[in-house]
Amino acid sequence: MKQLKYDVAIIGSGLGGLTTGALLTKAGFKVLVAEKLPFTGGRCGTLNYQGYKLPTGTAWVSDEIHGTLCREVGGEFEVRVPQVQYFFRIRGKDVSAPFAGLFRAMVASAAENPGEASRIYNAFKKAVIWSEPSRSITLYDWLKQYTNNTAIFGVFQTFVQMDTALNHFELPAGEFFRFIKETSFIKRMGFAPYGGGYVTDILAKAIKTLGSEVWTGSRTLQIKTQNGTATGIIVRKDNEEVEVSAQAVVCNAHPKVAVELAGKDKFDTGSLNDIAALKGSPQVIYFITSDRPLMEDKPMIFLPEGRRIFCLMQYSHFCPEMSPKGKFLFEAAAFLGDSNPPYDFKKETELQMLDLRENIKDFDKYARIMRINWYRGPWGLMRTWAGHGLPIQSPIMGLYLTGDSSAPSGWWGSSAAVKSGRLTAEDISQRYKPA
């Protein structure tokens, strides 16, 4: 068997793994990233499909988190911040608001009167600046203390779905407000030019430019251990098995994959229970094409009163390079009635289609559904429910678990993946030295 030596071996090229790899390479470590798919990015990648560039998960990024990371490793970064105000549809009317005031504007429009809006906002403010609500109650339970207005609940549901892919009755109230506090520094949110792959392509390029390697189409077969310590991995590359020795191993695949590759007997009972308990957050994404704009001058609309669809986005307005010339790419995001399986796919689809037809004029005449992504299970839009993450250190010395399932409380989605990747790189830099 061919043998190679690196300082750090990383399994998987999702955003967390590439963050770790790029930061460590910049710090002087020799890193190998092994990815089983033919392209990098995982749920932060871009799929070339029928001439379109489709996000494999997220295309929504921030300059403060994703941009700072890309520039730190020598990449150029661009985020398309919507110049047109955001729109939301409540009681049949479309209301606009800037990003900074979107939540407050939605609450004000959904409230039955100014007093109700003030009551909600004051309770929200107190939870942010003073005392987080208990994690023993859900956000839905917390909100019920202040209103029974279904439109208000819809506003919170929209924001929760955008950031966690959960329902408001599934998210711990304290976790929601921790997120608000942890990410309050973000001011420039927008779209990556051709989806999440724009970010991960920058990181993969940085890794290679700075002297490390990224192998695609290379499946990891085993995590090697000795006396309770990770010593490397075995990878199949170009139909050949390669043994890679390393000071540290980072698993950016699902933590269950780490158990399979290293062996269940290498993990203690508590860790196995925690990993087995991970549940992916489900969501449904419709990719729709047309020969004309489907929402006229409103490129992004939130639907707090939707049955299932909660957000409509016309990518072509922000990122025309995602579509062939003369075509328009559109995304509709939908939640499920319950994030726990089994799912009633027929019922969910019927409700989603009702929303599409009611909210997009002449949908059946001008729109073509090109692809529907059902994110669920290990390939959920989020790898774990918010507030249920794992530590980055596994029970095996030198084996790290990175990604959105191994981030601190209050960090969700792609931001959590970056945070986890940073924490992993920092810990490795403190414990090990480049060979």
Side-chain angles (χ1 to χ4, degrees), residues 197-271:
Y198 171 79
V199 177
T200 47
D201 284 352
I202 290 174
L203 298 177
K205 181 180 178 181
I207 290 171
K208 291 181 279 190
T209 300
L210 294 170
S212 288
E213 296 186 59
V214 178
W215 294 353
T216 55
S218 301
R219 180 184 290 273
T220 299
L221 305 177
Q222 183 182 352
I223 296 174
K224 300 281 289 182
T225 64
Q226 184 176 0
N227 299 324
T229 299
T231 59
I233 61 176
I234 295 178
V235 182
R236 180 179 289 120
K237 175 179 169 57
D238 300 328
N239 295 318
E240 179 186 10
E241 290 188 10
V242 181
E243 183 172 353
V244 177
S245 62
Q247 299 181 65
V249 175
V250 178
C251 184
N252 185 219
H254 196 285
K256 293 178 181 178
V257 173
V259 174
E260 295 170 3
L261 295 178
K264 190 175 180 180
D265 59 308
K266 306 297 192 302
F267 288 76
D268 61 77
T269 301
S271 296

Side-chain angles (χ1 to χ4, degrees), residues 31 82 101 136 209 237 251 262 283 317 434:
V31 175
S136 67
T209 300
K237 175 179 169 57
C251 184
Q283 201 169 95
H317 181 90

Side-chain angles (χ1 to χ4, degrees), residues 270-333:
S271 296
L272 289 172
N273 289 341
D274 290 343
I275 291 172
L278 290 176
K279 297 187 291 184
S281 301
Q283 201 169 95
V284 184
I285 302 294
Y286 284 74
F287 292 108
I288 301 164
T289 68
S290 67
D291 296 324
R292 52 183 280 174
L294 294 176
M295 298 194 303
E296 301 173 347
D297 60 341
K298 298 167 184 174
M300 189 171 183
I301 301 179
F302 295 103
L303 304 174
E305 294 179 310
R307 301 174 183 83
R308 291 293 186 267
I309 303 291
F310 64 89
C311 183
L312 305 172
M313 293 180 285
Q314 196 154 258
Y315 278 131
S316 300
H317 181 90
F318 306 105
C319 309
E321 56 267 67
M322 295 176 73
S323 312
K325 188 175 181 180
K327 298 290 184 178
F328 295 85
L329 178 63
F330 182 87
E331 178 188 298

Side-chain angles (χ1 to χ4, degrees), residues 123-138:
F124 183 97
K125 184 177 179 181
K126 178 184 177 182
V128 172
I129 68 172
W130 179 244
S131 176
E132 292 178 6
S134 170
R135 290 167 185 262
S136 67
I137 64 171
T138 67

